[in-house]
Amino acid sequence: MSALIQTTAAVVGAGHAGLAMSRRLTERSIDHVVLERGEVANSWRTQRWPTLRLLTPNWQTRLPGHDYAGDDPDGYMPVTDVVATITRYARLVGAPVRTATTVHTVRAVPEGFEIRANGDVLRTRAVVLATGACNLPAIPGIAGAVPPSITTLNPLTYRDPGQLPDGGVLVVGASATGVQLAGEIHRSGRPVTLAVGEHVRLPRTYRGRDIFWWLEATGLLAERYDEVDDLTRARHLPSPQLTGTPEAVTTDLNTLTAVGIRIVGRLGRITDGVAQFSGALANTCALADLKMNRFLNRADQWATASGLDDDLPPPHRFAPTYVDPRTPLELDLTSGEITTVLWATGFRPDHSWLDIPVRDRTGHIRHDGGVVTGAPGLYVLGMPLLRTRASTYIHGAGADSEALAGHLHSFLGSRHQ
Amino acid sequence: MTITDTPVNNGVNVQALLGAREALSAAPEAAEFTWRATCTWRNGTHSHSTLNGFTGLGAEQQHRTTFEYDVDHPECFASEDNGATPTEVVLVGLASCLTAGVAAVAQFREIQLRSVTATIEGQMNVLGILGADPDIRNGFETVTVRFDIDADASREDLEALVAQSQKRSAVFDIVTNPTKVLVELA
């Protein structure tokens, strides 16, 4: 049985971003629904491996009207706590969530938008896409050349090392996901090779403070999308090599090398079952070290200018990334040495149900700080560097949803006239 | 970053490069280039290559003049040494690409260069190309490039300059990453 439902606005996705937007719309008395294919925080419930923790410290995991109130502000939330937090938040804001409601199409109609979800048809004047940036694994085309004898996994199918066959594991990608899973799989006793392309190196803590404290305090996270030098590049920056652990340890290539993980260059090609790695590893690492030090210089300058040098431990620098001069350029995937390839090569959003021509030639939705270009009333939220560098992280949804709800409100008003 | 008062001038038109980046991002088909050369066998290991035309910006393009290269092998390989070896030509390509990158990045970062010299070495065991040891590859085992740079900049800035020139270099990418190569009979 299908129904025709009229609302002023619809939010697609009941994760932290969609719920923050729901609160903003409620504050403005804008009638809306939140459509969720599963349950609240669905991706966190069903698509994340159990040992994942947020990269950001608990004190920073704040949403509009909801600050962290637990007893471990400096800890990093395990995925179960993220689910609990977002679920609690949905209740707190009284979000009108329709769970188990899968959106099949969103298309433009003369009076706004028509959404087909399950058997129902919704007519709305505004739509907010809040389904997240990490719906699908971004796996390079060379994956097709992996020999069929090899088990292949990605972060959405990986659960724990127990699902892997015995033998060596090639982890492709050394951003947050890759370094965490390389370490975890190594601790299961399997030899791990980590293929490293362009990456962002950051220490977990610096001068006694979490690196996210520094990123926030120095104003870096507040840098706006229309201020950064190269927005396309900044939006595609890999996640920093950080892990959330109870001990707040730094996980970088040096610590991984020290425990016996083999670091190799970016995976370039697989020919006749032989994986070939880039010989540019040394420069890739040198660039990451330079960029880390550039930020630490900025942090130190900020601390001095802020008069905090007496309250903080003195500045210091971390050892440059060690690159073994004997790093192999090839690895024969048919030799039996490697039994699993794990693609930790990033994620991409899934907006395949969006039937409105708003994408650029690379398939990305064109938008100006979340206001989708060429489709008045359509918004996107919860994407990397949507409006500021903080947009990439949970707490960024606060300011982003405020700005976009304000825009949406004005849009509705202008249409009334 | 410069300590001089005169504008930084490394002879690189940064505005033109930034303009090209913007224009080609808007018209990506014009960004597709095809580079080509023609190589004619002379005698022994001696060959003569010419290059003039290339395709890019959506049209056929011409160099200002036809460039010619004689390539050969040295007398210790029982050749006549009519020109550099092909492997040395590769070294020239890599060093000149990185050097051009240093100049361009320095201009963009407002670093005045006074001199830049790249010394490049490629280590190779020729038992590979002689087919005498299957465990030795034909190509370079390692390539090392050493930049001597005299400029108004800190050592840290120069390290960043050299790192960035590698990141944006076509030939550095060609040498360090696998490339699909198709060779066929006409």
Side-chain angles (χ1 to χ4, degrees):
Chain A
M1 199 173 70
S2 72
L4 179 65
I5 300 156
Q6 302 265 9
T7 65
T8 306
V11 179
V12 185
H16 72 276
L19 296 170
M21 178 53 94
S22 174
R23 179 186 167 93
R24 301 304 194 194
L25 296 176
T26 300
E27 284 169 352
R28 289 168 173 78
S29 302
I30 297 172
D31 165 51
H32 68 284
V33 293
V34 181
L35 304 174
E36 170 54 58
R37 65 185 156 149
E39 294 178 69
V40 167
N42 190 63
S43 300
W44 294 100
R45 289 177 196 271
T46 62
Q47 293 193 313
R48 301 293 179 264
W49 61 97
T51 58
L52 175 64
R53 286 170 181 259
L54 292 187
L55 306 184
T56 45
N58 289 335
W59 57 262
Q60 202 170 38
T61 305
R62 50 182 186 251
L63 285 164
H66 179 75
D67 286 339
Y68 178 78
D71 55 6
D72 186 20
D74 295 322
Y76 308 93
M77 219 174 265
V79 69
T80 49
D81 291 359
V82 178
V83 171
T85 299
I86 296 174
T87 305
R88 205 162 49 236
Y89 188 68
R91 281 199 298 272
L92 175 78
V93 302
V97 181
R98 293 168 70 100
T99 55
T101 302
T102 302
V103 170
H104 301 297
T105 58
V106 175
R107 62 189 191 95
V109 293
E111 289 305 304
F113 301 93
E114 182 188 271
I115 301 173
R116 291 185 180 267
N118 291 2
D120 298 337
V121 178
L122 285 87
R123 289 279 169 78
T124 70
R125 295 178 53 211
V127 175
V128 181
L129 311 174
T131 46
C134 304
N135 307 113
L136 299 169
I139 298 176
I142 51 169
V146 174
S149 58
I150 302 264
T151 299
T152 58
L153 290 167
N154 65 64
L156 268 55
T157 57
Y158 174 87
R159 303 300 294 169
D160 60 69
Q163 80 193 104
L164 276 56
D166 289 339
V169 180
L170 172 63
V171 177
V172 184
S175 55
T177 302
V179 297
Q180 194 220 320
L181 296 184
E184 177 169 298
I185 294 166
H186 170 80
R187 287 190 293 277
S188 77
R190 292 169 178 79
V192 173
T193 302
L194 179 63
V196 177
E198 193 181 330
H199 58 276
V200 178
R201 182 184 178 195
L202 284 176
R204 180 71 266 183
T205 58
Y206 179 60
R207 298 178 72 181
R209 302 294 181 109
D210 190 89
I211 197 68
F212 273 98
W213 182 86
W214 289 102
L215 292 169
E216 186 165 300
T218 54
L220 187 125
L221 289 182
E223 284 175 11
R224 286 174 52 93
Y225 74 104
D226 47 8
E227 290 172 350
V228 299
D229 274 346
D230 186 340
L231 182 59
T232 303
R233 181 179 147 64
R235 280 188 172 148
H236 290 84
L237 211 58
S239 59
Q241 288 175 333
L242 290 171
T243 53
T245 61
E247 304 79 18
V249 294
T250 290
T251 306
D252 61 19
L253 298 180
N254 283 348
T255 66
L256 296 179
T257 299
V259 299
I261 291 171
R262 177 169 58 176
I263 307 297
V264 297
R266 181 176 182 275
L267 176 58
R269 192 170 61 170
I270 300 171
T271 304
D272 298 331
V274 177
Q276 296 178 293
F277 304 107
S278 173
L281 178 63
N283 189 54
T284 306
C285 294
L287 279 165
D289 289 354
L290 281 162
K291 283 174 188 159
M292 172 179 69
N293 287 331
R294 211 174 290 154
F295 177 70
L296 297 181
N297 290 342
R298 174 175 170 173
D300 289 337
Q301 284 160 13
W302 173 85
T304 301
S306 306
L308 290 175
D309 279 333
D310 292 340
D311 303 329
L312 294 167
H316 65 96
R317 290 294 173 266
F318 298 87
T321 302
Y322 171 73
V323 177
D324 189 333
R326 295 156 301 173
T327 299
L329 295 170
E330 291 188 343
L331 187 56
D332 186 352
L333 300 179
T334 66
S335 73
E337 178 192 345
I338 299 290
T339 57
T340 303
V341 172
L342 173 61
W343 299 102
T345 36
F347 301 89
R348 56 193 177 87
D350 180 6
H351 292 126
S352 55
W353 36 269
L354 181 65
D355 190 16
I356 303 174
V358 290
R359 295 174 179 82
D360 65 17
R361 66 187 169 87
T362 58
H364 295 97
I365 291 177
R366 281 177 295 137
H367 66 90
D368 182 9
V371 180
V372 176
T373 307
L378 187 62
Y379 300 87
V380 62
L381 187 60
M383 304 292 281
L385 222 168
L386 185 87
R387 296 185 63 82
T388 68
R389 291 191 191 272
S391 302
T392 309
Y393 304 98
I394 285 179
H395 72 280
D400 292 355
S401 59
E402 177 64 21
L404 293 182
H407 191 286
L408 191 156
H409 198 193
S410 304
F411 165 75
L412 294 174
S414 69
R415 291 269 304 241
H416 276 306
Q417 290 159 11
Chain B
M1 291 290 178
T2 174
I3 55 169
T4 62
D5 289 321
T6 50
V8 169
N9 184 3
N10 297 325
V12 178
N13 189 340
V14 168
Q15 285 314 314
L17 292 176
L18 292 176
R21 185 173 117 151
E22 197 167 317
L24 292 178
S25 296
E29 62 286 350
E32 298 289 345
F33 274 65
T34 301
W35 304 100
R36 38 180 198 265
T38 306
C39 177
T40 306
W41 174 60
R42 285 288 162 85
N43 184 48
T45 56
H46 178 202
S47 67
H48 180 80
S49 292
T50 58
L51 42 92
N52 186 329
F54 57 94
T55 310
L57 305 178
E60 182 64 21
Q61 309 284 341
Q62 295 283 311
H63 280 292
R64 277 167 50 176
T65 180
T66 298
F67 295 109
E68 305 188 38
Y69 298 91
D70 281 276
V71 172
D72 201 353
H73 283 78
E75 292 176 345
C76 65
F77 283 81
S79 291
E80 293 179 350
D81 210 7
N82 289 300
T85 63
T87 49
E88 290 165 323
V89 175
V90 171
L91 295 181
V92 170
L94 177 57
S96 53
C97 193
L98 291 173
T99 301
V102 164
V105 178
Q107 182 75 50
F108 185 70
R109 296 186 179 181
E110 299 196 331
I111 296 172
Q112 179 63 55
L113 301 173
R114 284 185 290 271
S115 74
V116 179
T117 304
T119 307
I120 185 163
E121 295 180 357
Q123 286 81 36
M124 179 189 289
N125 184 332
V126 298
L127 288 177
I129 51 174
L130 292 172
D133 186 339
D135 291 331
I136 295 175
R137 68 179 285 183
N138 295 348
F140 296 122
E141 287 299 317
T142 52
V143 174
T144 54
V145 187
R146 197 184 67 248
F147 269 103
D148 286 306
I149 301 177
D150 182 14
D152 294 326
S154 68
R155 182 167 184 87
E156 192 181 11
D157 285 342
L158 295 181
E159 284 172 353
L161 189 60
V162 169
Q164 188 66 17
S165 81
Q166 293 168 73
K167 186 177 172 182
R168 286 277 156 262
S169 165
V171 182
F172 182 80
D173 176 71
I174 288 164
V175 172
T176 56
N177 290 301
T179 304
K180 190 192 295 181
V181 180
L182 306 170
V183 181
E184 57 191 15
L185 196 56

